[in-house]
Amino acid sequence: MWIQSNPTQTKARAALEKSLERLGLDAVDLYLIHQPFGDYYGSWRAMQTALGEGLARAIGVSNFQPDRLVDLIEHNEIAPAVNQIETHPFFQRQIDQDVMRERGVQIESWGPFAEGRNGLFTNPELSEIAAARGKSVAQVVLRWLIQREVVVIPKSVRPERLAENLDVFGFELTADDMSRIATLDTEESHPARAIGSAVLTRADQPELRVLADLAGKRVAAVAPEAFGGYLVAARGMLNQHIDAEAELKEIRFAGLPVNRSIDAQTRGEGYA
């Protein structure tokens, strides 16, 4: 359920039916909520119904922080089968995985190669481990994720890389290899996501659909006019009033300059 669809209970059902029609299928293997914005509770109710009717064999979520994930589980009949989150050697998400394991949710990695950033493919530690095993850095990363019990679906359009990505079950990383890779964790998303993963989106969209953590301040929402027609949202605890002030100076994302102080107070329910 793509976030730009402004999902609701009715729209989630309609979107699934439209997808099935386009795919020429009677059911999908897995249906995910893209992000916890908008009426994602309504979307989840529709997805639970679709699961019961056999239109989806499994349902799950994507980009849910631990608090959002636990809240969804506690207030619904069915827990997500999967939570697909950014997971790679530089952002390992061990706490997230621990929460998922406790709740019976499978962690799945998107961006397992850090989208090629931070020099992943030339990283000295990864390169040394790969050379010792006679494998590529990509294969080492995929094997590391598999040994951590992280489901991973790497993306490639090149036949030789598709074959390489599948050839990761004939070797194992040692405990020392795993420990060395663990030291690469920065506990942050990659720098291209700007300060604290700041993301901007157009204010003419009907819902706040973006995630940010601005300079360590938890900001629940910003009025549409705050950034000349752009919205900024930040991680916040669900159902809490959040007072926050964040100073943003020369943050640039997708070529958009921001230089404005903001003061926001809003209810976190339904927002980031």
Side-chain angles (χ1 to χ4, degrees):
M1 166 54 62
W2 191 242
I3 199 168
Q4 276 77 5
S5 302
N6 186 26
T8 63
Q9 187 164 348
T10 301
K11 289 182 179 180
R13 174 63 180 235
L16 175 57
E17 291 176 348
K18 190 172 184 178
S19 293
L20 291 172
E21 180 182 351
R22 288 175 172 175
L23 292 167
L25 298 174
D26 296 324
V28 293
D29 290 323
L30 179 63
Y31 193 39
L32 303 179
I33 291 177
H34 179 221
Q35 297 220 37
F37 298 106
D39 182 20
Y40 64 91
Y41 268 79
S43 296
W44 190 250
R45 288 191 294 271
M47 291 166 67
Q48 290 181 129
T49 300
L51 180 69
E53 294 175 354
L55 299 180
R57 296 188 177 94
I59 55 176
V61 297
S62 180
N63 300 305
F64 273 55
Q65 297 294 323
D67 60 327
R68 292 297 179 92
L69 180 66
V70 171
D71 188 82
L72 187 73
I73 292 170
E74 289 290 330
H75 294 93
N76 286 280
E77 296 179 5
I78 299 173
V82 167
N83 185 17
Q84 184 187 82
I85 60 175
E86 180 185 4
T87 316
H88 49 74
F90 305 127
F91 195 27
Q92 300 184 15
R93 312 298 287 273
Q94 188 60 56
I95 293 176
D96 297 71
Q97 185 174 9
D98 291 343
V99 171
M100 290 183 223
R101 185 178 287 115
E102 292 172 2
R103 293 286 177 159
V105 179
Q106 175 62 52
I107 182 174
E108 181 177 69
S109 167
W110 68 256
F113 300 137
E115 298 178 318
R117 302 180 189 274
N118 294 349
L120 181 136
F121 295 112
T122 57
N123 179 271
E125 289 284 354
L126 296 174
S127 296
E128 187 174 314
I129 293 170
R133 300 285 173 271
K135 299 293 181 179
S136 69
V137 167
Q139 288 174 309
V140 166
V141 171
L142 294 177
R143 185 65 206 180
W144 168 75
L145 287 164
I146 290 167
Q147 288 184 213
R148 284 186 57 206
E149 300 181 342
V150 177
V151 170
V152 58
I153 306 176
K155 176 183 177 182
S156 181
V157 296
R158 299 185 182 183
E160 66 274 15
R161 288 185 178 174
L162 290 170
E164 180 181 287
N165 291 341
L166 287 171
D167 186 22
V168 294
F169 298 100
F171 75 102
E172 289 189 5
L173 299 177
T174 65
D176 182 62
D177 293 335
M178 298 294 286
S179 296
R180 289 171 67 185
I181 297 174
T183 65
L184 301 178
D185 191 11
T186 66
E187 299 184 0
E188 294 181 351
S189 181
H190 61 66
R193 299 186 183 279
I195 294 178
S197 305
V199 181
L200 307 180
T201 188
R202 282 206 165 279
D204 54 10
Q205 294 176 350
E207 298 286 338
L208 285 171
R209 306 188 186 94
V210 292
L211 180 63
D213 194 354
L214 307 174
K217 306 287 180 59
R218 289 192 167 188
V219 182
V222 178
E225 65 273 17
F227 295 106
Y230 287 88
L231 291 174
V232 174
R235 292 190 186 103
M237 298 300 290
L238 199 63
N239 298 329
Q240 287 186 0
H241 285 82
I242 302 172
D243 291 304
E245 182 177 6
E247 182 78 13
L248 306 180
K249 293 183 178 179
E250 298 301 319
I251 295 177
R252 295 180 182 273
F253 182 85
L256 300 172
V258 177
N259 189 352
R260 191 75 63 90
S261 295
I262 60 172
D263 198 359
Q265 180 178 0
T266 190
R267 184 171 177 79
E269 187 172 3
Y271 296 96

